[in-house]
Amino acid sequence: MFAPQGTSVGILGAGAAGLITAHVLLEDGFNVQLITRDSSPGGVWARARIYPGLTINNVHGEFTFSSCPMPLPSKSGETGGRLTGDDMCAYMESFAAKFLAGRIKFRTEILSIQRPSDGIWLVTVKDLLNGAQDVLTSEKLTNKQGCSNPSIPTYISPSLAESAGFRGLIFHSSKFRDRLDEVLKTKSTDAGGNEKAISIVVIGGGKSAQDISTYLANAGREVTVVFETADAFLAYKNPLPDFIRKSRFLGILSPHMELKTRLERFLHNTWLGSKIVHFVWDKITSTSFDVYSLPVDSPLRHAHSAFWGIRTNDDGCYRPNGFHGLVQSGKIKLVAPARATGFGHDGRSVTLKDGRVLPADVVILATGFKSSWMGLFDTQTAAELGISRHSPSTNDVNEWNYASLTNPPVHLDNEQCSSSIYRGLVPANNINNRDFAINGAVFTANNGYTFEVSAHWISSYFLGDSIRLPSTAEEALASAERNSAWLRKRYPSMLLWVNESYSSNLAFWTCVCGGDTRDANTNFLFNFSWPQIVDEMLEDMHLPSMRSGGNWLTWPFKAIEVNEIANLGRERQSKRISSCLQVVT
């Protein structure tokens, strides 16, 4: 049963996932409206949110959509070939202007979301320019990943700093652009009243912490970064060839919950294959350390695992003016492993858990973001959807006895969590209603490709196409629980770090990401097995998967390009027509 032409769809958020979802839905005949509190499109790449020094982990072509080619990086020499925040912002604005003119309600804050018994979605909003409130209605609703509220531990919050008598500047990294001039103009004096260099402390070890400290160090400021565990990073002397970095190569070296090819089964189910897998990952890690000649006692070696974790930065080629280069040259100081716990009595310092005290005229909290989902949905709607994380309903089964997953890192926290989001796209409880979906909740190293395929999956789901779906909510929930069990096996303890809006699926090397959600977006938690996730979505729609081609020998090394999915809309339409003809005959 197909949705009628012109069915209204509300899209909450105008980030990358929201923009491509709106475009695909429009192409399929839906009447879409996007809602964002920002004054420009782009989400984390909106103009008000980018800041000097911001770069993206993904290589060129991994954050682009098939209908809108992306220009080459504007400052390739300075960024190691990476796109800047300005590049991403310009691309998002260009895409929105070309395909979604008049479809976005800017400066509109979402206050609450309800779905009464008649099934029509009610979204209460406030105009941020005049304060007027309104209720918007739509027949279907899509939500972005929902991770935009700053997460600040109470013991180092600005309010606590004020009560403790801290006299310096303190703010969250999301305000860096707004407060930059203030930071650069800040002055400090010694006990004799003589002017001295100011001390800037950045708390956090993710991508935003690195970008901000890099910018300030290059501006001649003294910067100290405090963190407990560093993000893993990839670095190389020369750019990796496409057949390594943009192919399935890294993906098949990261086990997926379904090992569909002989090569994957060999690599992850045999002793020899497992040795090869871990040799390659260890070599990638050690080579990255060697590129920057990190000493054996460097805090940067005390990092999350590139294989077992989801906090990996692709730093690109060696850059003396990049974060790791500046650390190497002593222009950025590291205090790690360490945790900031409060503020000193002198009003100009930060105290650490181990008793040390760091001078601080400016404190920047690169402490990440938390879910913006909770609190938007009324109690009844949230319960009907089942969108919250929860304790596992069943004990983990030993289903994945992969050789490559033996000897995992020690998991010290007994708390575990599970998600009820099927495929990272639809709440299991709501699977048969076909009126609510999520795009942008899957961690991936190739966001453009993944978001675009997800948008087509959502459109097929809303249209009522014949796609592979669980037949009942219970079956969908069992599948989501199984996926969560796999994630707990694959990435021990990492689901405790990821918030509700992301914990539904990780396509890390399988996907890539880190510290704040630009550290879930710039620090894209790299899930390098993302090609397997995308293949499953294509197969759900009964469309060809593994589109990069190649023969039995070359397929792991064929570069994946977004133009492979440029005709997905027509392919889906052909399937739809064929299905209708079969019904008629």
Side-chain angles (χ1 to χ4, degrees):
M1 180 177 179
F2 303 131
Q5 194 82 354
T7 296
S8 60
V9 182
I11 298 176
L12 310 184
L19 295 178
I20 188 60
T21 302
H23 176 52
V24 169
L25 291 172
L26 271 175
E27 292 286 295
D28 282 345
F30 289 96
N31 179 22
V32 306
Q33 183 174 62
L34 298 94
I35 306 168
T36 177
R37 65 176 290 117
D38 298 321
S39 56
S40 63
V44 296
W45 306 112
R47 190 157 297 280
R49 289 195 176 140
I50 61 173
Y51 49 78
L54 174 60
T55 60
I56 183 172
N57 273 325
N58 305 66
V59 297
H60 182 261
E62 287 186 335
F63 216 129
T64 185
F65 304 128
S66 63
S67 55
C68 188
M70 178 177 279
L72 292 172
S74 60
K75 299 179 180 179
S76 182
E78 298 177 26
T79 64
R82 297 298 183 262
L83 294 161
T84 66
D86 288 321
D87 292 331
M88 288 298 303
C89 176
Y91 181 76
M92 296 300 163
E93 291 178 345
S94 172
F95 185 91
K98 183 175 181 180
F99 298 111
L100 300 170
R103 296 283 178 175
I104 307 176
K105 284 183 71 69
F106 294 110
R107 303 299 289 148
T108 303
E109 183 174 11
I110 300 167
L111 300 179
S112 67
I113 304 168
Q114 296 175 285
R115 184 180 59 184
S117 56
D118 61 3
I120 297 296
W121 289 95
L122 306 179
V123 181
T124 303
V125 300
K126 181 174 74 172
D127 188 317
L128 293 176
L129 297 178
N130 59 29
Q133 293 191 18
D134 193 8
V135 177
L136 308 179
T137 63
S138 65
E139 295 161 86
K140 300 182 186 295
L141 197 70
T142 73
N143 197 12
K144 66 183 180 64
Q145 75 266 21
C147 193
S148 57
N149 293 334
S151 176
I152 302 175
T154 56
Y155 51 84
I156 51 170
S157 65
S159 59
L160 184 67
E162 182 179 3
S163 64
F166 181 71
R167 299 192 303 275
L169 296 180
I170 178 170
F171 56 89
H172 188 264
S173 58
S174 59
K175 302 296 184 182
F176 182 63
R177 180 189 181 97
D178 297 336
R179 306 292 296 270
L180 177 57
D181 286 345
E182 197 175 353
V183 172
L184 296 178
K185 292 176 181 177
T186 296
K187 298 183 183 300
S188 182
T189 56
D190 59 23
N194 300 310
E195 186 172 326
K196 66 183 183 68
I198 66 170
S199 299
I200 301 174
V201 174
V202 179
I203 299 175
K207 185 67 164 58
S208 288
Q210 295 181 13
D211 284 343
I212 288 171
S213 58
T214 298
Y215 180 86
L216 292 172
N218 281 323
R221 300 306 189 270
E222 291 186 2
V223 185
T224 300
V225 185
V226 180
F227 58 87
E228 292 186 271
T229 305
D231 285 355
F233 71 96
L234 308 186
Y236 17 88
K237 294 181 179 179
N238 300 299
L240 291 179
D242 286 353
F243 71 82
I244 295 293
R245 182 59 181 82
K246 298 176 71 172
S247 70
R248 293 173 178 268
F249 175 72
L250 293 175
I252 62 175
L253 288 172
S254 178
H256 187 54
M257 63 190 300
E258 308 292 346
L259 303 177
K260 294 185 177 181
T261 67
R262 288 184 178 181
L263 180 56
E264 288 172 287
R265 289 191 289 273
F266 164 72
L267 289 172
H268 302 293
N269 272 341
T270 69
W271 176 86
L272 178 59
S274 173
K275 292 297 182 183
I276 293 171
V277 165
H278 286 282
F279 171 80
V280 174
W281 282 110
D282 290 346
K283 190 65 176 176
I284 288 173
T285 300
S286 63
T287 299
S288 298
F289 292 161
D290 292 343
V291 166
Y292 285 99
S293 303
L294 295 184
V296 293
D297 60 347
S298 170
L300 293 176
R301 288 181 178 265
H302 182 66
H304 293 284
S305 166
F307 177 80
W308 290 104
I310 56 173
R311 299 191 54 138
T312 302
N313 297 320
D314 188 344
D315 204 46
C317 294
Y318 172 85
R319 289 177 292 146
N321 64 339
F323 175 76
H324 297 91
L326 292 169
V327 170
Q328 179 196 37
S329 64
K331 295 180 180 178
I332 294 177
K333 298 177 182 178
L334 304 181
V335 177
R339 172 181 287 191
T341 55
F343 302 92
H345 298 300
D346 62 355
R348 289 283 181 176
S349 60
V350 171
T351 58
L352 306 183
K353 186 177 181 181
D354 61 11
R356 284 180 290 175
V357 178
L358 300 179
D361 299 295
V362 178
V363 176
I364 301 174
L365 304 170
T367 48
F369 287 78
K370 59 186 178 182
S371 173
S372 54
W373 281 7
M374 300 302 101
L376 289 181
F377 294 90
D378 73 294
T379 304
Q380 178 181 336
T381 304
E384 290 174 354
L385 293 176
I387 56 175
S388 299
R389 266 191 326 195
H390 56 274
S391 298
S393 59
T394 58
N395 293 327
D396 288 356
V397 293
N398 242 349
E399 181 178 353
W400 301 282
N401 292 315
Y402 297 168
S404 61
L405 294 182
T406 56
N407 301 317
V410 176
H411 175 56
L412 299 177
D413 196 325
N414 291 324
E415 180 189 356
Q416 292 289 0
C417 62
S418 191
S419 171
S420 57
I421 310 297
Y422 176 75
R423 285 269 195 265
L425 295 165
V426 178
N429 286 358
N430 203 58
I431 194 78
N432 290 323
N433 288 331
R434 295 203 181 210
D435 68 346
F436 180 78
I438 303 159
N439 196 354
V442 178
F443 279 150
T444 168
N446 193 322
N447 287 278
Y449 200 113
T450 306
F451 289 169
E452 188 162 342
V453 173
S454 297
H456 282 280
W457 193 102
I458 289 169
S459 189
S460 288
Y461 174 71
F462 281 172
L463 283 167
D465 287 352
S466 176
I467 61 176
R468 184 175 63 187
L469 279 178
S471 57
T472 65
E474 292 74 20
E475 186 180 332
L477 183 58
S479 176
E481 290 276 2
R482 178 174 178 265
N483 189 69
S484 291
W486 160 249
L487 293 177
R488 291 191 294 273
K489 175 87 172 183
R490 177 65 186 88
Y491 302 108
S493 80
M494 281 293 171
L495 280 189
L496 300 176
W497 171 78
V498 178
N499 68 55
E500 293 91 343
S501 60
Y502 279 107
S503 58
S504 53
N505 214 338
L506 295 171
F508 207 53
W509 310 87
T510 255
C511 154
V512 187
C513 231
D516 64 25
T517 70
R518 211 168 328 239
D519 292 3
N521 229 340
T522 61
N523 203 33
F524 285 100
L525 294 174
F526 273 16
N527 189 334
F528 281 106
S529 59
W530 70 268
Q532 294 96 308
I533 299 287
V534 168
D535 286 344
E536 289 174 348
M537 288 192 282
L538 290 169
E539 290 163 6
D540 284 348
M541 294 181 282
H542 309 292
L543 299 175
S545 57
M546 299 184 73
R547 292 177 171 237
S548 49
N551 58 33
W552 67 272
L553 180 63
T554 62
W555 71 266
F557 304 103
K558 299 290 287 186
I560 300 173
E561 303 289 350
V562 72
N563 58 17
E564 300 166 7
I565 55 174
N567 295 317
L568 276 189
R570 284 191 285 273
E571 292 179 44
R572 291 170 42 240
Q573 183 181 48
S574 178
K575 287 283 184 184
R576 197 175 307 124
I577 293 172
S578 177
S579 177
C580 289
L581 292 176
Q582 289 177 8
V583 171
V584 171
T585 57

